[in-house]
Amino acid sequence: MNTSSPLLPNYLAGRWQTGSGPGALLRDPVLGTELARVSNGGLDLIEGFAFAREQGGRALRAMTYAERAAMLAATAQVLQSHRDAYYEIATANSGTTAKDSAVDIDGGLFTLGYYAKQGEALGDVRFMLDGPAARMAKDPTFQSQHIMVPTHGVALFINAFNFPSWGLWEKAAPALLSGVPVIIKPATATAWLTQRMVQDVIDAGVLPAGALSVVCGSSNGLMDALQPFDVLSFTGSAETAHVIRSHRAVAAQSVRVNIEADSLNSALLAPGTAADSEVFKLLVSEVVREMTVKAGQKCTAIRRIFVPAALYDAAAQAISAKLAGVTVGNPRNASVRMGSLVSREQLGAVQAGLAQLRTEAEVLHDGASHTLVDADPAIAACVGPTLLGTRHPDAARVLHEVEVFGPVATLMPYASLDEALGLIRRGQGSLVTSVYGDDPAFIADAALELASSHGRVHAISPDVAALHSGHGNVMPMSLHGGPGRAGGGEELGGLRALNFYHRRSAVQASIAALKRLGTA
Ligand code: NAP
């Protein structure tokens, strides 16, 4: 390894600390060049966590929700002023086009701004009421009032590589607004953007000491530093999620954990749709968008597409024709629409996953047919979009179980709506499903059927064609997370996100005491 590339410092215990050893290398996934190294070797994690818990937590809890909301607004302003640098880092380290970098960078800023506004409305208080006081006997003098108070611990975030900006801020905004200090451990492959954003915010002095820390590199020892009142929010693969759930901190100390894992999201075209209808076109465009945005490296991307059996061939042709027009390669070339995967390792994982899916599917559009623009196939982690298909989705197993985290989706026909709903549920719980139809009754019925196995149901009909937020876009006012294999987590959803960082307690007391709480 060329150890001349800079070692990014960590920020822990209120000071910048450089890890020991050569560290792990971050590369440009298109050019293959070395960008930076990360290491947290030799850092005293116990000291760092204690500093955040005690100093950061105390300072944040002394502020009101409105004051913390103003702090979020100031944070967003700082980030806004460095936006150009973030785009450069994203191009270099994530291999994304400007449009795809925006999903991550501007998505993060938008989410911060959203919580700044929501928090302002909570006002100058330091805890929240949970419903009205309840009598516990005939005599009203002694009652029970549920309250929500910020947990006296740290929020540790262990994040995935695909959203180094949004992944930080969508979690940090509700945590900081709640009064809980944040320690972020970004995924190593793309840690640079997260580290740089934290650096800019720390340098600007808009947060109290200990409110925000960043530890780059290995995850070793992070979970050992957790204590019972800490919380852990993890985003990543189901495999790592399993390791997290089995850790002593979670299993024995009840550290509260939120898990966002992988997901076999689906799209459903309404029965009876015609191939020349607006609804059909909407499905085709959304599928192509979802397959290609961030080169399919979105946990919410459409992986399985369900169409009425009579439309299988028409859908295969229409989606393939659009995919054929997608230019793939170096995001610095203005003609490129889809950049690269985040690393050669990821490219290997996508190719291995594709080989698995192909044991049960035919290739309708082959990503290998795309000539890379300004990128050397021997070096770049670029891959064209591939549409697979099977005429026998019921007999398939791998297609409903294996998530290929890249520009890959599988088309599947269904004979009846019941069959389609059953096949969708074979994803074992997903983050999102989208339904395409022009009959409000169909949409409402499908939503009710799919809600129990999906964190979000996104319905696209011609009347919202130009308005909808996109199948894969996670908006802060809507829930993000899904049951079962999607991890069982819940994030965002407006102020619901604050619940994770608060503890609920029932105060049973005289009405006089409850009045002092400002409640009775
Ligand atoms: P990953 O390999 O599970 O890594 C996720 C994070 O966990 C990284 O920061 C990683 O650090 C860390 N990690 C690895 N081993 C660990 C351990 N034993 N203990 C604690 N932390 C550990 O996942 P990924 O490859 O980065 O991300 C892709 C996956 O994430 C996909 O499956 C995708 O579906 C899922 N994802 C889900 C969502 C969602 O919201 N549901 C969003 C994005 C991605 P290192 O990088 O240093 O190894």
Side-chain angles (χ1 to χ4, degrees):
M1 182 192 302
N2 176 4
T3 48
S4 63
S5 32
L7 192 52
L8 303 178
N10 306 283
Y11 189 73
L12 192 65
R15 58 185 193 277
W16 291 104
Q17 306 188 42
T18 306
S20 59
L25 199 54
L26 275 58
R27 284 184 187 277
D28 181 317
V30 179
L31 306 176
T33 47
E34 300 182 357
L35 298 171
R37 292 174 297 130
V38 291
S39 164
N40 56 45
L43 261 63
D44 186 339
L45 298 176
I46 303 293
E47 177 213 15
F49 276 53
F51 182 88
R53 206 177 279 125
E54 285 148 29
Q55 304 227 19
R58 195 179 312 119
L60 287 169
R61 290 195 302 274
M63 301 165 81
T64 65
Y65 291 100
E67 286 168 342
R68 294 193 291 255
M71 182 184 79
L72 294 187
T75 303
Q77 229 169 16
V78 171
L79 295 172
Q80 188 71 41
S81 68
H82 296 281
R83 208 166 143 265
D84 291 348
Y86 304 151
Y87 273 77
E88 276 174 34
I89 293 173
T91 305
N93 193 195
S94 291
T96 38
T97 61
K99 217 170 161 192
D100 286 354
S101 301
V103 180
D104 186 31
I105 296 166
D106 294 342
L109 286 172
F110 177 74
T111 305
L112 261 175
Y114 170 84
Y115 278 102
K117 279 220 177 68
Q118 294 285 309
E120 193 183 354
L122 291 175
D124 278 320
V125 291
R126 293 182 180 80
F127 70 96
M128 295 191 288
L129 300 179
D130 179 22
R135 284 186 189 195
M136 289 190 290
K138 223 174 186 181
D139 188 323
T141 314
F142 185 66
Q143 297 205 13
S144 171
Q145 171 67 55
H146 289 85
I147 59 170
M148 301 283 282
V149 294
T151 190
H152 286 210
V154 298
L156 170 63
F157 302 154
I158 300 181
N159 276 8
F161 61 71
N162 56 340
F163 282 106
S165 164
W166 176 81
L168 164 60
W169 300 114
E170 63 107 5
K171 294 181 185 188
L176 294 171
L177 180 57
S178 298
V180 178
V182 165
I183 299 173
I184 169 77
K185 188 280 196 236
T188 298
T190 57
W192 188 12
L193 180 54
T194 307
Q195 191 273 354
R196 172 63 196 268
M197 287 179 139
V198 171
Q199 189 177 322
D200 290 337
V201 171
I202 297 298
D203 287 352
V206 290
L207 299 181
L212 182 61
S213 312
V214 62
V215 179
C216 302
S218 163
S219 56
N220 285 349
L222 283 176
M223 293 204 49
D224 299 331
L226 291 173
Q227 294 189 358
F229 302 141
D230 297 335
V231 299
L232 166 63
S233 185
F234 169 79
T235 302
S237 63
E239 215 180 346
T240 313
H242 182 74
V243 175
I244 301 261
R245 278 202 190 89
S246 321
H247 191 275
R248 187 183 45 83
V250 179
Q253 293 187 298
S254 307
V255 165
R256 185 182 281 173
V257 62
N258 189 77
I259 293 196
E260 299 290 350
D262 54 6
S263 176
L264 272 290
N265 312 296
S266 47
L268 169 66
L269 184 63
T273 303
D276 60 353
S277 65
E278 165 92 20
V279 168
F280 180 81
K281 287 186 196 128
L282 288 170
L283 169 103
V284 170
S285 309
E286 196 64 9
V287 164
V288 171
R289 185 152 70 122
E290 282 298 310
M291 287 178 69
T292 53
V293 170
K294 288 184 70 76
Q297 298 168 110
K298 255 163 64 245
C299 51
T300 49
I302 296 171
R303 306 291 179 198
R304 298 175 300 150
I305 309 144
F306 296 93
V307 297
L311 291 189
Y312 179 80
D313 291 322
Q317 276 166 24
I319 297 169
S320 298
K322 281 202 173 222
L323 290 178
V326 174
T327 42
V328 184
N330 190 334
R332 295 164 184 91
N333 185 311
S335 73
V336 166
R337 174 153 154 219
M338 193 172 92
S340 87
L341 300 170
V342 292
S343 63
R344 288 291 283 192
E345 290 71 31
Q346 203 46 34
L347 178 64
V350 166
Q351 283 164 342
L354 251 175
Q356 261 188 296
L357 299 192
R358 285 175 70 160
T359 60
E360 292 185 345
E362 57 177 328
V363 178
L364 300 172
H365 174 81
D366 191 350
S369 64
H370 290 250
T371 307
L372 303 186
V373 178
D374 279 356
D376 179 349
I379 293 173
C382 295
V383 61
T386 293
L387 180 69
L388 301 173
T390 174
R391 290 178 194 270
H392 307 288
D394 195 36
R397 184 187 60 80
V398 173
L399 296 178
H400 301 292
E401 286 181 7
V402 174
E403 180 208 48
V404 176
F405 208 57
V408 180
T410 307
L411 182 67
M412 308 187 190
Y414 68 83
S416 70
L417 184 57
D418 269 358
E419 186 197 2
L421 296 172
L423 290 167
I424 288 174
R425 288 194 197 100
R426 285 184 56 187
Q428 300 289 316
S430 303
L431 296 170
V432 52
T433 182
S434 49
V435 296
Y436 303 75
D438 48 18
D439 175 7
F442 160 74
I443 288 175
D445 290 350
L448 279 178
E449 284 293 334
L450 293 167
S452 69
S453 50
H454 293 82
R456 187 157 60 82
V457 180
H458 183 78
I460 301 185
S461 45
D463 54 331
V464 296
L467 303 172
H468 75 88
S469 47
H471 164 106
N473 275 353
V474 176
M475 301 293 284
M477 52 295 284
S478 274
L479 190 70
H480 174 58
R485 74 166 286 163
E490 285 197 353
E491 287 177 347
L492 302 172
L495 289 174
R496 290 174 189 85
L498 274 58
N499 289 345
F500 184 67
Y501 303 98
H502 283 73
R503 298 281 167 186
R504 182 181 285 110
S505 183
V507 181
Q508 301 174 326
S510 76
I511 205 85
L514 294 183
K515 270 193 183 133
R516 288 292 299 218
L517 272 180
T519 63

